[in-house]
Amino acid sequence: MEPSWLLAGAALLLLLLLPALSPAALFQLKIAGYCALCLAASALAAPLCLLRHGGRTVRNMRIIANIVKTFKYIYGLRFEVQGLENFEVEGPCVIVSNHQSILDMMGLMEILPDDCVQIGKKELLYTGPVGLIMYLGGVIFINRKSTSNAKTVMSGVAQTMLDENVKVWVYPEGTRNGNGDLLPFKKGAFHLAVQAQVPVIPVVYSSFTSFYNPAKKLFISGKIRVEVLQPIETKGLTAEDVADLTERCYCTMRETFFRLSGTAREVNGSAPTSQQ
């Protein structure tokens, strides 16, 4: 029998067996498939980036985004986006958004503006095809272990951002958080914006919990509402203003998060922020 027929038969058998799987097994299968898809997409995008642009450049992010945008059709996700016009600022800026799960990459690539890169920890550079595609896309890698505070971490990033005239995307919560709220923000992104004297653009994604919840082994189709908020200017601000800027952005994004998610939760007037 031809190998292609064997693969087709195996795929058909898998489809027939899916309804019989337990929720936990089905969840793990979907997660494994998502990880495999990320690896395959990275392996596909890398040679395209090299052929098109010859090496590491932020322009490769457009190739990567176009590939990742197809993932939503596989997983039945729909995006409803508002405020894309707020990305239309001249020169560099710092974009901050909430960080919920491994699916955030799809949300990022769905609305990624031109000339925009992420900040990533240096360890990600050594994750095979994924690390390679991040490198080719111009991701700015930082070594968080060798620094003592956020201001020091971001000083080199600010210079890179200005020298290369790029927008930088940061997750100020610092880690994934799918608990239906926002974690207190770390101050690094806001130090970066103030040091470079560039605007901060908040981006808020609605809660994933109705369709993606690892605790409940839930991973189904769903809708994600996204809102790009108006830029917050930082010209004239100093390091002394970073704490206030961080809290203002946190409160605005948290209120927007609850509204987009349809959560009837009362929003605090203020919230503590991380010291990092």
Side-chain angles (χ1 to χ4, degrees):
M1 185 178 289
E2 292 290 334
S4 58
W5 284 105
L6 288 172
L7 290 174
L12 179 59
L13 179 61
L14 181 60
L15 288 173
L16 292 173
L17 289 175
L18 284 179
L21 293 176
S22 68
L26 186 57
F27 176 83
Q28 294 299 335
L29 183 62
K30 286 188 174 182
I31 292 296
Y34 180 78
C35 294
L37 190 59
C38 290
L39 290 171
S42 298
L44 171 64
L48 293 177
C49 292
L50 290 169
L51 288 171
R52 182 69 183 273
H53 297 124
R56 175 177 167 87
T57 171
V58 68
R59 291 179 295 169
N60 284 327
M61 290 305 300
R62 186 51 50 205
I63 295 174
I64 299 166
N66 286 336
I67 293 175
V68 173
K69 281 182 179 181
T70 64
F71 290 14
K72 64 186 176 189
Y73 302 113
I74 298 172
Y75 287 94
L77 299 180
R78 294 173 292 120
F79 290 90
E80 183 182 285
V81 183
Q82 300 179 53
L84 283 176
E85 67 277 5
N86 291 320
F87 280 146
E88 297 172 6
V89 297
E90 292 187 12
C93 65
V94 175
I95 301 170
V96 294
S97 74
N98 53 318
H99 192 17
Q100 300 184 68
S101 77
I102 60 174
L103 305 184
D104 287 339
M105 180 184 64
M106 284 193 279
L108 167 70
M109 296 301 173
E110 183 71 19
I111 65 169
L112 188 75
D114 290 333
D115 302 316
C116 181
V117 297
Q118 287 178 279
I119 290 179
K121 56 185 180 181
K122 193 174 182 180
E123 291 84 352
L124 293 173
L125 184 58
Y126 309 108
T127 54
V130 174
L132 173 60
I133 202 61
M134 292 176 70
Y135 171 81
L136 291 174
V139 170
I140 300 172
F141 294 99
I142 59 173
N143 186 353
R144 296 186 298 185
K145 294 181 180 179
S146 66
T147 55
S148 57
N149 59 64
K151 189 174 181 179
T152 303
V153 171
M154 293 301 175
S155 59
V157 177
Q159 192 61 50
T160 300
M161 179 172 62
L162 294 173
D163 290 346
E164 299 182 11
N165 193 32
V166 295
K167 301 175 177 66
V168 174
W169 190 297
V170 186
Y171 295 111
E173 291 171 280
T175 188
R176 296 171 188 159
N177 169 45
N179 69 355
D181 200 345
L182 270 64
L183 294 175
F185 286 176
K186 297 181 183 295
K187 297 177 183 176
F190 305 95
H191 277 298
L192 172 60
V194 168
Q195 286 177 25
Q197 294 287 281
V198 299
V200 175
I201 301 180
V203 176
V204 183
Y205 294 85
S206 61
S207 175
F208 294 176
T209 54
S210 64
F211 61 88
Y212 179 83
N213 190 327
K216 296 181 179 179
K217 305 304 179 185
L218 178 70
F219 191 177
I220 58 176
S221 60
K223 181 174 74 172
I224 301 168
R225 300 178 66 192
V226 191
E227 190 165 331
V228 182
L229 304 182
Q230 292 185 351
I232 301 172
E233 289 296 335
T234 65
K235 288 182 179 178
L237 298 185
T238 66
E240 285 69 32
D241 300 305
V242 167
D244 179 65
L245 175 64
T246 304
E247 183 175 346
R248 282 169 46 209
C249 192
Y250 175 89
C251 291
T252 300
M253 290 178 64
R254 190 167 183 251
E255 181 177 7
T256 303
F257 174 76
F258 290 145
R259 173 170 54 80
L260 293 178
S261 304
T263 307
R265 192 168 181 173
E266 185 176 352
V267 181
N268 296 334
S270 63
T273 55
S274 170
Q275 296 303 309
Q276 295 184 10

